[in-house]
Structures are given as structure tokens and as C-alpha cells.
Amino acid sequence: MDEAQDREIDRGERSALIRLREPAIYALGGFLAFQLLFMNVILILVGVDELNLRSATLQFYLTGTLGEIFGLVAVAIRFVFSDKPPLSGRGIRR
């Protein structure tokens, strides 16, 4: 095989990977949007005294939610937008 054919195969593989990753991207985006919206609703309800939470409970909730959001973004950046296979270089022999 020559170099041009190799590049064409690489382009085909990349477009197939993008098609496979699109549903995951939309699902993660929707989940993140829902989580941020829910967190804002909780904050608004606490702010207008409709929901009474102890300060420590609210701090744990906010810290946990923001940690989960940052974790999901890190996973999305690392695996969804990467060209490498997810388990490459981790002791798996082919």
C-alpha cells in the first residue's frame, strides 16, 4: 500500500470514530446541562428561602456537583475527543 491509500484509510477510520462518538457527546452535553440547571434551581430555592438546607449540606452538595461536572468534562476531553484508543499503552497485547 502506498502513502495516499494509508491516509485515505486513516480518514475513513476517523470519520467512523466521529460518527460513533457523536451520541456520547450529545448525551454528556445534555447531562451536564441538566445538572447545571438543577444546581441553579437548588441555589435559587435556597436563596429565596423556599428550601432550607444547613450550610454544610449545601457546601457538600455544591462541591460534589462541581467535582462531578469537572470529572465528566475531563473524561470527555480525554476519551471522546482523543484520536487514540481508550486503552492504548496500558499493557494490552495484540
Side-chain angles (χ1 to χ4, degrees), residues 10-74:
D10 285 343
R11 278 189 221 127
E13 289 175 359
R14 284 181 187 218
S15 65
L17 280 174
I18 289 171
R19 281 194 307 272
L20 287 173
R21 291 175 179 169
E22 278 183 14
I25 292 168
Y26 289 126
L28 277 174
F31 183 71
L32 288 172
F34 171 76
Q35 201 166 20
L36 286 171
L37 179 68
F38 186 75
M39 186 174 73
N40 286 334
V41 167
I42 295 293
L43 287 174
I44 289 169
L45 290 175
V46 168
V48 296
D49 288 331
E50 286 293 321
L51 182 64
N52 295 320
L53 294 175
R54 290 186 341 196
S55 177
T57 304
L58 186 61
Q59 289 175 357
F60 281 132
Y61 169 72
L62 291 176
T63 303
T65 302
L66 289 175
E68 188 175 349
I69 289 170
F70 290 139
L72 283 173
V73 169

